[in-house]
Amino acid sequence: MYLPDRTWPEVGEYVADESLAVVPLGSTEQHGPHLPEGTDHMIAEALAREATDRTGFLCTPPVQIGVSSHHRQFPGTMWVEAPVFRDYVESLSRNLTYHGIDRIVYVNAHGGNVSHLREVGRRLHDDGTAYAIEWMWDESIPGLIEEVFETPGPHGGPKETAMIMHIAEKLVRDDRLEDARDGGAVFDYDAERVHGATTFYDCIENSPNGVFGDQTDATPEIGEELFEAATDQLVALLEWLDARPIDDLMPEPPLEP
């Protein structure tokens, strides 16, 4: 059930019976020479829409701009500062709770949003307003990603390339896949640390063209496989959350002395 397509009586009927909402979030930022800047929010919305179509749960419009200043050197990257992002998502979430929603799944496709969505979820949880959790598509199917790609890469790599090939193939610059691979980098997190300290802040410090992995490994068929597997995981999460009594999701009371 996609909220923008519905009338207020229809949404009212939904919240009379259901209390779960799905909020897709991503970013508008560089994804190399081969992928559109809307890659993350496109993936998040596609997964959220598919999962809510299958289950009947409510899906909000996507949040298309996130915490992306670490990509700022690349033209077209848009971002908001982290406190602004957190306050915006919290306000949006409290708006949902006003209408009767008490559990929210943030369907996220941008790593820069993760810690901030967790913080928003904690705020809502701590004051007993709602149970809100962050879900990242690639973290739901790590085994499959490792199985189909030798070098998946954390950003703009074959996993995101394959997903966009499935969701919006015409937006992938197929003639730039080798450029993406050869001008990017294979990310080695341990190699980028010095005596245990993370020494980098911006993506460009690790990759000249902003992406990682071997993009030539991506195909629309693999993208479909990833999309279906991730959607299955999201559907299972929504059904699990819907079945839980809200009291079981709220904070435990203080221990008695």
Side-chain angles (χ1 to χ4, degrees):
M1 180 179 185
Y2 190 51
L3 190 152
D5 293 345
R6 301 294 180 151
T7 66
W8 70 259
E10 291 169 340
V11 177
E13 291 175 2
Y14 175 85
V15 295
D17 296 323
E18 300 286 354
S19 59
L20 190 154
V22 173
V23 180
L25 306 98
S27 67
T28 300
E29 64 184 24
Q30 72 84 17
H31 276 78
H34 64 301
L35 290 180
E37 304 225 353
T39 288
D40 286 346
H41 73 72
M42 291 168 60
I43 292 173
E45 183 176 11
L47 289 166
R49 293 285 299 271
E50 181 66 21
T52 52
D53 283 349
R54 293 185 189 182
T55 60
F57 293 121
L58 184 69
C59 181
T60 74
V63 177
Q64 298 182 340
I65 298 175
V67 183
S68 298
S69 62
H70 51 294
H71 294 288
R72 66 187 184 275
Q73 288 88 353
F74 297 90
T77 292
M78 304 182 73
W79 71 90
V80 294
E81 299 302 326
V84 175
F85 177 79
R86 290 193 296 267
D87 288 347
Y88 178 85
V89 175
E90 180 179 356
S91 180
L92 183 156
S93 300
R94 291 186 185 278
N95 164 243
L96 290 171
T97 67
Y98 175 85
H99 294 295
I101 298 299
D102 61 18
R103 57 203 81 190
I104 301 168
V105 175
Y106 301 124
V107 173
N108 179 39
H110 174 52
N113 295 340
V114 172
S115 62
H116 308 294
L117 293 173
R118 289 284 298 169
E119 171 60 24
V120 171
R122 174 169 286 282
R123 294 179 189 178
L124 298 170
H125 185 255
D126 284 356
D127 65 16
T129 299
Y131 184 79
I133 52 175
E134 184 266 349
W135 179 85
M136 188 84 168
W137 74 271
D138 55 342
E139 293 181 358
S140 75
I141 52 171
L144 177 58
I145 291 172
E146 291 179 3
E147 176 184 328
V148 296
F149 298 125
E150 184 175 350
T151 54
H155 177 76
K159 60 185 179 182
E160 290 183 326
T161 303
M163 285 285 273
I164 296 298
M165 285 178 169
H166 173 60
I167 295 167
E169 187 171 9
K170 66 180 181 179
L171 297 181
V172 179
R173 280 62 169 178
D174 291 330
D175 60 335
R176 302 299 303 276
L177 295 179
E178 292 185 1
D179 293 342
R181 177 195 63 195
D182 298 340
V186 177
F187 190 81
D188 185 344
Y189 185 75
D190 291 333
E192 301 296 337
R193 293 171 65 84
V194 177
H195 301 301
T198 302
T199 59
F200 57 89
Y201 287 97
D202 294 335
C203 178
I204 201 169
E205 297 175 40
N206 295 314
S207 174
N209 70 4
V211 294
F212 306 87
D214 186 351
Q215 292 76 7
T216 64
D217 285 344
T219 67
E221 292 75 21
I222 293 176
E224 182 178 11
E225 184 179 6
L226 297 178
F227 184 86
E228 291 299 323
T231 300
D232 288 345
Q233 290 294 314
L234 180 54
V235 166
L237 173 64
L238 299 180
E239 292 175 344
W240 171 86
L241 184 57
D242 181 59
R244 300 290 298 278
I246 190 61
D247 289 344
D248 290 353
L249 300 170
M250 288 294 101
E252 295 288 339
L255 295 173
E256 294 292 336

